[in-house]
Amino acid sequence: MKQHLVIFLFVMQLVYGAMCAKAEPPVYEGRQKISMQFKVDNDGNAAPAGSILNKPVRKRYRLRAGDKLRFELLNDKYKFESEVVVDNQGAVNLEYINWVGVEGKTLEEASLAIQELYAKDYFVNPNLKLSLTEKAPIRFKIFGQVANPGYYEVPPGLGVDLLDAIAIAGGYTRLAGKIVLKSNELERPSEIRNFKIKNLTKGGKNEIPKLIGGETIVIGESLF
C-alpha cells in the first residue's frame, strides 16, 4: 500500500511540473527594436515612408497673367531688382534679356529659364531670386444652367470654391443637375472632374474643390 502511495505522489509531481512549464510566461528579452524610415515631402514635412506615398500630391502654383513678381539679380559687380507683372501674353520684361515667357511655369522653372538667358550672353553663373509678391485675380468661365453665364474675376484672397463660383454667376437654374469642372489649361496635365449638384451640396465644405484661376465650369441639365 505504501509503495502504491509513493508511485501516485511521484506521478502527481510529474503532472504538476508539466502544467507549470506550460503556464510559465516567456522570458523577457528586452523591448523589440523597431526600425522606421522617413521621407520628406516637397513642403518639408517628414512622415513614415509608407504613409507619405499615400499622401495626395499638392499641386505647385503655376504663374499666370496678372501675377506680380519681384526679381533680384544679385551678382557681386552688378545688382538689380524690380517689380514686374506677368502680361496678357504670359511674359515679363527684364533688364537686358527683355521679354521672357513665364506663364504656366512654377517659380523654380521660371527662375531657371531666366538664369539660362542671363548666363548665355551676359553673366557667368548669374545669381538671381524670383518671388511671387501678389497673385493674380481668380478668373473663371461658367456656362450652361446658371442665371448669368460668362467670365468672372474675383480677388485672390477670397478663397472661392465651386459652389461660390456658381453663386457669383447668379446660381443654378431648376434644370441644373450636373457639373463639369475643367482645371486651368496651364496645369499639366489638365483635369476634368464631374459632379452632381445634389451630392456636392450634401458634402462638407472641405469636399468642395477650390478654384485657383483659369477653370471652366459647365452646368448641365439633370437627366431626371
Side-chain angles (χ1 to χ4, degrees), residues 21-36:
K22 289 184 178 180
E24 185 178 354
V27 178
Y28 180 68
E29 298 178 350
R31 180 176 295 179
Q32 182 181 7
K33 294 182 179 180
I34 300 175
S35 177
M36 182 175 289

Side-chain angles (χ1 to χ4, degrees), residues 144-145 173 175-178 219-224:
Q145 296 298 320
T173 70
L175 298 177
K178 58 183 180 180
I219 311 298
E221 295 184 6
S222 174
L223 299 178
F224 302 99

